[in-house]
Amino acid sequence: MSSELTDKKVDRFTHALNELDKAAAFAKSMYQTDVYQEASRLMETMEGMETLFHFANRFEEAGVFANGPWEDASKLQPPLVAGSLKTKGLASIIEILSDLRMLSIAKGNYDHPSMGSEEAAEFLNEVLALNLDLLFPGDSEEARIEQEENAEQLDRSQRFFQFLFTRISSDALTGTLREEIERLMAQRPIMVKRVISMIQMAKKLLNNSEAGETEHPALEKYIKAIEGPSPLGENTSNLNDYRKKLKDLSEEELKQEAEVLSNSMQDTGLVAPQHAVLVRFLSRNKPEMLSDALSLSDKGKANLEEHFDLVKQLIKVGIYPATGQAVYGLARMLDRGVFSYSPVIPGLRRLIELDIKPEVRKDLLNAYQNRQGLTANTILLSGVISVLGQPLGVGQGLNPTCQSARGISLWAQHAPGYLLELIPRAARDGDIDLKFEGTPIHSKDLKGGLAPELHKELDPVSLVLVPHLDRIYNEMMTRVALRGEDGHRWVNPAFYGNWVQTGFSNVIEPITGTVTDYPGYVRLFYATHHPEYNDDYELIYPNPVGIFITNVHGKLLGYHAVSILRIAQVPSGDYRIYFYNPNNDSSQNWGQDIEPTVSGNGELEGESSLPFHEFVSRLYAFHYNPYEQGDAFAVEDEIVEEIEKLAKESWGREYTWVNI
Amino acid sequence: MGLDHLDLENQTQQNLNEETKPYLTALIGWSLPAIEACDKLDKPFVVVGPPEFEGFAEKNDIKFIGWNFDQLNEGSDQLFKKLKALGAEVAVPLYEECVEWAGALNSRFRNEPRVFNRSLLLRDKGMMKRKAQIAGIKVGVFEEAHSKEDVRRFLKRVNEALLKVEGDKNDPIHVKPLDKAGSVGHRAIENPEEIEALTDADFPLLMESHLDGQEFSCEAFIHKGKIQFLNITEYVKLGYSNFVPASPGLEDKRPLIRNAIQQLVDAFEIEYGVIHPEYFITPDGTLHFGEVAARVPGGHIFDLIERAYGFSAYQAQILCSDPNTTEEELRNFFPEDNGQADGYAGCLMVHPHVNYIQELEVPEELENHPYFEKHDMFEPSQGKVAERIGFGNHYGTIFLYGEDSETMRELLEKYEKYDFYK
């Protein structure tokens, strides 16, 4: 494009912006359209983006965002940016203008009354980190279709991201990305697809920028973890070559290789494809080195020794490069000593030759794009290994099926034999049955459920079980719907099993929908759960509880199922609640400075935690043992009042509060 | 009395009458450009608008009275009382449904009951035609209809008069509601079968014979019964495109048109404000009166007037609506009233030719044309096209400006057929 034309566009934009600037507050909307129009013309080129950025410090005061969703910069949320950019038309134009304003704040060009430059930079970092696919367009089918249908918009947002990328310190960006990866992997999820694609993005990012020195090593670690952390693997693109090379290694070298790979796995929770090759090789040729490759604890080593034949068989059937992530599950499973539950061994054996129903087989096979000749049994077995090794790594994916995920996780922890009963029933018979108040409920007789269209990005066990569990849970809730009390009281013990206590308390009065006697509710929870008030009864099995999910502003978004795993005192003397969150992305900001952490506060792999009172402020229902209560009256009024305040000023705004 | 004393006295005076002095102009209806115009004139004002705008007005410190214009009852007097209490003395109607409200208010403000009756003339297309005809203004054949039978008879009689025989193509007649703006509810009827599409809710309506000739509109700013400024808007295609001022061919007829409008002003006894009459002109220079409105015209005509002549038509309307505006103020405000402008300002109103919009495409050739100024179209986020009411809800407007009326006309004709939405 000739610069004459560009000049004309700049003039026209300047004119439109000036007119908007001059307009009275009530008249802004009459002038905004022209600004958006001229801005969209400038967005057609990189030069134009530059020009727009030059003016961005004036946008907000001129009224570019007046009376619209982008008005208040401090209320904007990075995860929503992608949605606006992908919307046709106006929204994507204003979104870009708003992000240019952020950049202006971040660069110190614009002194914003309610947002600091660091905050703005953080916002943009997160936006970039969440939208790396726009920065490095993939060649996936989905991206391709989107590109064709939406060419103009995608061009515009891609161009914007290219521009933003040149203006943002790539150090900060890679930092954000690293944090995001660390945060997700701290929970040791079974499904690592999303993390792997983020790591691949990070790699492109490092290749595309000279900077990022400080973040390099941290990200390199993850890149190596998925591509092959050992020098031997690095120079071998082909896994078959790698296998051949293994044969030539000396004992010493082999041991070293095993250590490098297992250290990387321990460190990141990610398994390189080479690792699976190594484990298969060792189990056949050097069984004594297997424990090095899995970096087992003493307990794990003992378990391996005791059950070596079975482990060898599991490796042979279940561990392939494509299912390599199960190596981590295998190691954790040995460390946990799952084999000591007597039904586990025959239960696992049964899976190897299980006659899987065709439709289940199809789902399992479809879950792997690059199957490399895997059978459905291999996939299912690898999934079972993962679940038994990482019970807290079970996630609900993109489905509203937190209850089912919570069940699988609970059984994997405390009833692996039972879980190993359910899986073949579902995979082979297409039916499972659970008893509810004496009557069996068969999933094959039920329709619907919470997720009639299950999103299939799930671990193999969830893929097989969730459709059944979801329908049964839903059926149980339907059966108690008219009892005038929260149905979870009866459904949870029936669904999850006898591990769930029968005492139950709910913060919402089910008939009137009001919050009644909140202080009493809080005191009961303290008296049954807080070590200082509950006569030292320890929590033995996970307690399935309901929580209010709130956003960063404390606004109620919905209800969610998590499990309290344990309650413990941290060195500072405070008590924290450690819990399992089936959404596998637990460290979200719940508003009022309540931010669950996944590491750094004594969390074990897969746990999230919050200070005791903060967790209680979001709790809406819990089970307790009526025979194990301490002193409710002993709970200090200040504690109860503080929690009540947090509750009232967040989710409580949506409810009527009744004092009795 | 010393100077400082004088100042002091002035100040006290101001403080005392803060609410009432100087008097307020009441804008009847809701229009941001009109509010802005009044604000820029530094005239204190109050807006009488639909109650849903109250929040916006409050947020922006706009003096506001929420009013439901459809509701006529003994409470209507309240509006006058409220406005009087606030110190309002002039009412300016912004859209069709407000014309008689402004008329009623102004007749109270000025103590001239007839002002209201005159405004009613402008709100009933049947009465309007009759009045024009009585005053000797040329109009087509028209009649009011109360049933489908009336429409059938009118269609038949008009075509009989045209000496059509069995099998000849009928000349169309036009039917429209008596009291709606511009083209809202307008339809042309050629065949008796089309009459069946009318429903009871459409009656009573006005029927007119079809008038041949070039259609155009005028925007005449009237003060003390005199035309202060006359604009002629040339229609390229009714409801789709028009430009300001008219091309030389039509502007040549300006003296004739001016006379016709003064005749109309006199006949309708219009004293203040803006009128927007529509005429048909035959090649031999005969003018047929179509209809007239006393409000902001559609088709972005006020925007075009501002672009072509450089004054705000909204401000002109407000100034001319106010009996207190002086001759001098008006002379300073308006440019010379001769139809001469530096260029032609035109606009094309875009209507999708499809029912579901996939994408928006504005051709480079148009965007880069020296006449192209701007458009306001964005890719819609949802593609379904809304049903059209009158010509009101077009999907966007393209504004053009240039020195040659023929180029303007060609551009408007060319792009009227273009599919911007696909």
Side-chain angles (χ1 to χ4, degrees):
Chain A
M1 181 172 304
S2 76
S3 67
E4 192 190 328
L5 262 180
T6 314
D7 281 351
K8 194 173 154 200
K9 286 181 182 171
V10 176
D11 285 349
R12 282 167 42 166
F13 177 78
T14 318
H15 178 73
L17 185 65
N18 288 341
E19 290 295 307
L20 175 65
D21 202 0
K22 276 189 277 177
F26 66 81
K28 295 289 185 199
S29 65
M30 290 160 54
Y31 297 88
Q32 283 170 335
T33 305
D34 288 353
V35 171
Y36 301 150
Q37 281 287 349
E38 298 304 337
S40 89
R41 291 190 179 99
L42 286 173
M43 285 172 192
E44 285 164 14
T45 63
M46 212 59 174
E47 220 183 331
M49 289 282 180
E50 186 81 47
T51 309
L52 286 173
F53 172 56
H54 175 71
F55 286 105
N57 58 337
R58 290 179 51 199
F59 287 174
E60 185 161 324
E61 275 156 34
V64 173
F65 313 109
N67 297 316
W70 287 267
E71 189 163 16
D72 186 348
S74 65
K75 287 220 170 111
L76 298 177
Q77 293 184 48
L80 300 182
V81 170
S84 304
L85 285 176
K86 284 177 185 165
T87 309
K88 283 179 164 190
L90 200 50
S92 65
I93 297 169
I94 306 177
E95 180 59 56
I96 291 175
L97 292 174
S98 169
D99 294 334
L100 287 169
R101 157 184 64 179
M102 284 291 183
L103 185 59
S104 193
I105 299 171
K107 292 283 169 194
N109 298 347
Y110 172 39
D111 227 354
H112 192 273
S114 63
M115 193 172 220
S117 67
E118 262 173 48
E119 222 179 313
E122 228 169 80
F123 179 94
L124 291 171
N125 277 331
E126 204 177 332
V127 167
L128 266 180
L130 291 172
N131 291 284
L132 287 172
D133 55 325
L134 284 170
L135 193 56
F136 308 114
D139 44 13
S140 75
E141 186 68 1
E142 189 189 7
R144 194 187 59 74
I145 293 168
E146 225 167 275
Q147 192 139 16
E148 271 176 15
E149 281 183 354
N150 226 338
E152 194 201 342
Q153 273 70 29
L154 208 59
D155 272 2
R156 186 157 60 204
S157 27
Q158 271 174 14
R159 199 173 302 111
F160 168 67
F161 275 110
Q162 301 288 354
F163 173 77
L164 191 57
F165 184 50
T166 63
R167 292 304 178 124
I168 279 269
S169 133
S170 49
D171 240 16
L173 175 57
T174 45
T176 307
L177 199 55
R178 175 186 50 74
E179 277 166 22
E180 193 80 10
I181 294 167
E182 275 174 359
R183 196 172 65 80
L184 288 171
M185 282 318 295
Q187 301 177 81
R188 294 295 190 260
I190 294 173
M191 295 299 286
V192 292
K193 213 171 154 184
R194 186 169 146 218
V195 175
I196 287 179
S197 77
M198 288 173 78
I199 295 170
Q200 284 162 345
M201 287 299 171
K203 186 184 173 188
K204 288 187 191 168
L205 190 63
L206 293 182
N207 292 342
N208 277 286
S209 63
E210 323 79 58
E213 287 299 318
T214 49
E215 295 292 345
H216 258 245
L219 278 173
E220 283 305 342
K221 179 178 90 181
Y222 285 104
I223 296 168
K224 279 191 170 166
I226 60 166
E227 291 187 346
S230 68
L232 188 70
E234 201 171 5
N235 300 322
T236 325
S237 56
N238 184 319
L239 288 172
N240 197 26
D241 291 347
Y242 177 77
R243 187 169 149 271
K244 283 179 193 149
K245 279 191 188 170
L246 285 179
K247 289 182 182 163
D248 301 333
L249 294 186
S250 71
E251 190 125 333
E252 191 54 36
E253 288 167 326
L254 206 51
K255 197 172 166 68
Q256 216 180 332
E257 181 72 12
E259 269 168 15
V260 173
L261 289 178
S262 69
N263 284 343
S264 163
M265 175 178 82
Q266 282 299 356
D267 193 15
T268 61
L270 292 160
V271 181
Q274 292 88 343
H275 204 157
V277 177
L278 178 75
V279 166
R280 288 182 69 85
F281 176 82
L282 292 179
S283 80
R284 265 202 311 273
N285 305 308
K286 296 272 178 213
E288 66 280 9
M289 272 192 206
L290 200 51
S291 68
D292 294 317
L294 299 174
S295 64
L296 297 178
S297 65
D298 288 347
K299 184 180 167 194
K301 281 177 191 158
N303 271 306
L304 175 61
E305 211 163 302
E306 191 183 341
H307 304 287
F308 181 74
D309 284 346
L310 176 64
V311 174
K312 191 176 170 185
Q313 217 180 347
L314 293 180
I315 291 171
K316 194 178 162 194
V317 181
I319 307 286
Y320 287 90
T323 58
Q325 192 59 32
V327 171
Y328 186 75
L330 180 65
R332 293 282 77 79
M333 182 162 116
L334 286 163
D335 279 355
R336 287 188 61 222
V338 182
F339 293 123
S340 51
Y341 287 83
S342 54
V344 167
I345 294 170
L348 284 170
R349 282 213 186 97
R350 170 165 53 177
L351 291 175
I352 294 172
E353 289 186 14
L354 190 73
D355 191 10
I356 299 175
K357 268 179 97 81
E359 52 271 30
V360 178
R361 179 177 300 144
K362 202 172 121 206
D363 274 349
L364 287 169
L365 291 173
N366 282 344
Y368 286 79
Q369 285 184 339
N370 188 11
R371 289 200 283 276
Q372 303 170 341
L374 297 184
T375 66
N377 290 69
T378 292
I379 294 170
L380 182 57
L381 184 63
S382 74
V384 171
I385 294 170
S386 293
V387 167
L388 292 180
Q390 307 160 254
L392 302 183
V394 178
Q396 68 195 79
L398 297 174
N399 302 296
T401 51
C402 37
Q403 286 97 350
S404 302
R406 195 163 64 169
I408 294 170
S409 172
L410 181 134
W411 300 319
Q413 286 171 76
H414 295 284
Y418 176 63
L419 184 62
L420 287 171
E421 281 301 313
L422 290 179
I423 294 169
R425 288 276 288 126
R428 181 193 58 210
D429 308 335
D431 177 38
I432 61 175
D433 58 298
L434 298 185
K435 270 204 174 125
F436 185 64
E437 299 179 343
T439 321
I441 298 178
H442 284 268
S443 59
K444 69 170 166 34
D445 302 333
L446 303 172
K447 282 201 174 96
L450 293 173
E453 297 288 331
L454 194 69
H455 191 271
K456 298 288 171 65
E457 204 177 312
L458 285 173
D459 68 89
V461 173
S462 299
L463 213 47
V464 170
L465 280 183
V466 170
H468 300 276
L469 294 173
D470 179 42
R471 274 177 283 170
I472 292 176
Y473 191 89
N474 200 38
E475 172 67 16
M476 288 183 178
M477 286 303 286
T478 311
R479 291 192 182 187
V480 298
L482 298 176
R483 289 191 187 177
E485 263 191 75
D486 186 336
H488 294 99
R489 167 191 294 272
W490 303 282
V491 171
N492 283 344
F495 184 76
Y496 297 117
N498 291 332
W499 301 278
V500 179
Q501 301 295 346
T502 49
F504 180 80
S505 184
N506 183 342
V507 69
I508 307 295
E509 223 290 305
I511 305 277
T512 58
T514 55
V515 181
T516 322
D517 189 22
Y518 190 69
Y521 171 83
V522 170
R523 285 175 188 280
L524 179 64
F525 186 75
Y526 267 78
T528 52
H529 287 78
H530 197 292
E532 285 183 7
Y533 307 97
N534 77 341
D535 289 352
D536 289 327
Y537 289 111
E538 211 179 321
L539 186 68
I540 298 175
Y541 296 107
N543 185 354
V545 300
I547 55 168
F548 293 109
I549 286 288
T550 51
N551 72 6
V552 62
H553 307 296
K555 190 177 158 37
L556 178 64
L557 297 177
Y559 313 95
H560 189 49
V562 303
S563 293
I564 299 178
L565 300 170
R566 60 192 178 94
I567 290 141
Q569 206 167 10
V570 287
S572 68
D574 294 335
Y575 282 92
R576 292 183 79 86
I577 291 182
Y578 296 86
F579 60 100
Y580 160 70
N581 184 342
N583 78 3
N584 275 177
D585 187 4
S586 316
S587 53
Q588 293 152 338
N589 190 335
W590 292 357
Q592 298 175 315
D593 291 327
I594 299 180
E595 285 183 67
T597 54
V598 294
S599 62
N601 286 303
E603 294 89 350
L604 303 174
E605 285 181 5
E607 286 181 343
S608 316
S609 82
L610 272 179
F612 198 95
H613 72 280
E614 292 187 358
F615 187 88
V616 180
S617 78
R618 292 296 186 270
L619 187 69
Y620 86 77
F622 62 95
H623 289 270
Y624 63 93
N625 186 338
Y627 302 103
E628 295 181 356
Q629 290 192 45
D631 301 325
F633 61 85
V635 185
E636 284 81 2
D637 290 343
E638 301 84 74
I639 297 179
V640 178
E641 280 159 18
E642 187 187 354
I643 293 172
E644 183 163 7
K645 187 168 184 308
L646 286 171
K648 274 190 170 163
E649 288 170 5
S650 56
W651 58 267
R653 280 178 291 188
E654 315 285 329
Y655 288 94
T656 312
W657 289 62
V658 180
N659 287 323
I660 52 167
Chain B
M1 194 176 352
L3 266 179
D4 43 351
H5 190 189
L6 195 79
D7 267 342
L8 194 69
E9 195 170 81
N10 270 343
Q11 217 166 11
T12 332
Q13 188 86 7
Q14 251 172 20
N15 287 345
L16 271 176
N17 299 318
E18 205 162 31
E19 282 296 308
T20 54
K21 280 280 173 187
Y23 61 91
L24 295 187
T25 300
L27 301 175
I28 315 297
W30 181 264
S31 154
L32 280 179
I35 296 172
E36 188 189 40
C38 208
D39 188 47
K40 283 191 172 166
L41 280 175
D42 275 332
K43 269 181 174 294
F45 63 94
V46 52
V47 178
V48 180
E52 60 261 33
F53 291 103
E54 180 140 19
F56 181 88
E58 199 171 323
K59 186 179 165 196
N60 290 291
D61 284 330
I62 294 170
K63 214 171 271 177
F64 184 81
I65 297 177
W67 199 256
N68 182 356
F69 296 110
D70 293 334
Q71 206 176 314
L72 300 174
N73 55 27
E74 65 283 359
S76 302
D77 190 44
Q78 285 301 320
L79 182 57
F80 170 72
K81 287 183 178 148
K82 279 190 190 182
L83 286 172
K84 193 71 192 168
L86 282 174
E89 287 183 14
V90 179
V92 182
L94 299 179
Y95 45 65
E96 184 71 26
E97 287 72 12
C98 310
V99 168
E100 73 263 34
W101 282 96
L105 291 167
N106 279 328
S107 68
R108 298 286 299 272
F109 287 140
R110 287 188 228 148
N111 251 330
E112 288 180 50
R114 231 183 281 273
V115 173
F116 176 52
N117 297 45
R118 286 175 209 142
S119 76
L120 286 181
L121 266 185
L122 299 165
R123 288 285 288 131
D124 183 321
K125 288 179 184 178
M127 262 164 69
M128 183 194 295
K129 287 256 167 175
R130 209 166 297 128
K131 174 78 184 172
Q133 199 175 36
I134 291 168
I137 295 170
K138 257 196 176 131
V139 296
V141 184
F142 68 93
E143 228 176 89
E144 283 170 46
H146 296 275
S147 68
K148 290 180 189 177
E149 194 42 52
D150 292 345
V151 184
R152 276 185 215 110
R153 188 176 36 79
F154 186 78
L155 178 67
K156 188 160 170 267
R157 302 251 328 245
V158 165
N159 280 288
E160 274 171 3
L162 292 165
L163 305 178
K164 297 279 166 87
V165 295
E166 193 74 21
D168 278 355
K169 198 170 168 291
N170 273 341
D171 249 32
I173 60 163
H174 297 264
V175 301
K176 47 191 167 187
L178 291 171
D179 62 347
K180 292 287 186 306
S183 49
V184 177
H186 174 169
R187 47 180 120 193
I189 292 182
E190 251 174 71
N191 298 306
E193 302 86 74
E194 288 160 10
I195 297 169
E196 292 312 314
L198 296 169
T199 65
D200 285 349
D202 294 323
F203 293 96
L205 50 74
L206 179 73
M207 306 176 286
E208 294 170 294
S209 59
H210 179 73
L211 293 173
D212 278 323
Q214 185 184 6
E215 188 173 7
F216 64 89
S217 80
C218 296
E219 289 67 40
F221 297 92
I222 315 291
H223 195 257
K224 296 213 158 94
K226 291 265 165 326
I227 302 172
Q228 302 295 326
F229 189 88
L230 170 65
N231 170 62
I232 305 174
T233 299
E234 183 154 338
Y235 289 174
V236 177
K237 182 171 178 185
L238 178 65
Y240 286 80
S241 52
N242 42 33
F243 63 85
V244 166
S247 59
L250 191 53
E251 282 291 345
D252 282 349
K253 309 270 170 18
R254 173 172 275 265
L256 181 77
I257 295 168
R258 207 186 159 89
N259 280 338
I261 290 179
Q262 192 64 56
Q263 190 185 9
L264 187 72
V265 167
D266 294 342
F268 281 69
E269 299 174 57
I270 294 163
E271 285 179 290
Y272 298 103
V274 68
I275 57 167
H276 165 63
E278 286 175 323
Y279 290 94
F280 295 84
I281 187 163
T282 54
D284 66 2
T286 314
L287 281 174
H288 280 101
F289 170 69
E291 58 185 58
V292 58
R295 53 161 165 91
V296 178
H300 302 277
I301 289 172
F302 268 15
D303 297 324
L304 301 181
I305 288 176
E306 175 155 9
R307 182 68 186 94
Y309 303 106
F311 71 84
S312 158
Y314 292 97
Q315 291 185 350
Q317 183 192 9
I318 292 162
L319 285 174
C320 286
S321 297
D322 187 346
N324 298 325
T325 305
T326 63
E327 185 67 28
E328 192 192 355
E329 280 174 300
L330 291 171
R331 286 287 63 82
N332 287 337
F333 183 85
F334 286 114
E336 209 175 327
D337 182 18
N338 54 12
Q340 300 287 310
D342 291 339
Y344 294 89
C347 74
L348 174 66
M349 286 153 273
V350 177
H351 301 274
H353 299 155
V354 291
N355 290 327
Y356 195 88
I357 296 169
Q358 296 276 345
E359 58 168 336
L360 165 71
E361 193 191 293
V362 181
E364 284 279 310
E365 193 196 342
L366 173 62
E367 286 240 354
N368 294 333
H369 194 283
Y371 279 29
F372 176 82
E373 289 224 308
K374 62 179 184 181
H375 72 75
D376 57 6
M377 292 179 286
F378 296 97
E379 196 108 353
S381 53
Q382 65 92 15
K384 201 177 176 314
V385 174
E387 212 177 311
R388 202 171 81 168
I389 303 164
F391 290 116
N393 55 342
H394 47 276
Y395 262 56
T397 310
I398 297 165
F399 289 93
L400 305 168
Y401 181 82
E403 284 180 2
D404 179 44
S405 64
E406 272 321 289
T407 313
M408 177 67 73
R409 171 180 290 281
E410 279 162 23
L411 276 172
L412 290 174
E413 278 172 352
K414 175 174 175 189
Y415 286 105
E416 187 238 304
K417 290 172 198 80
Y418 188 85
D419 287 325
F420 292 93
Y421 291 105
K422 301 189 177 183

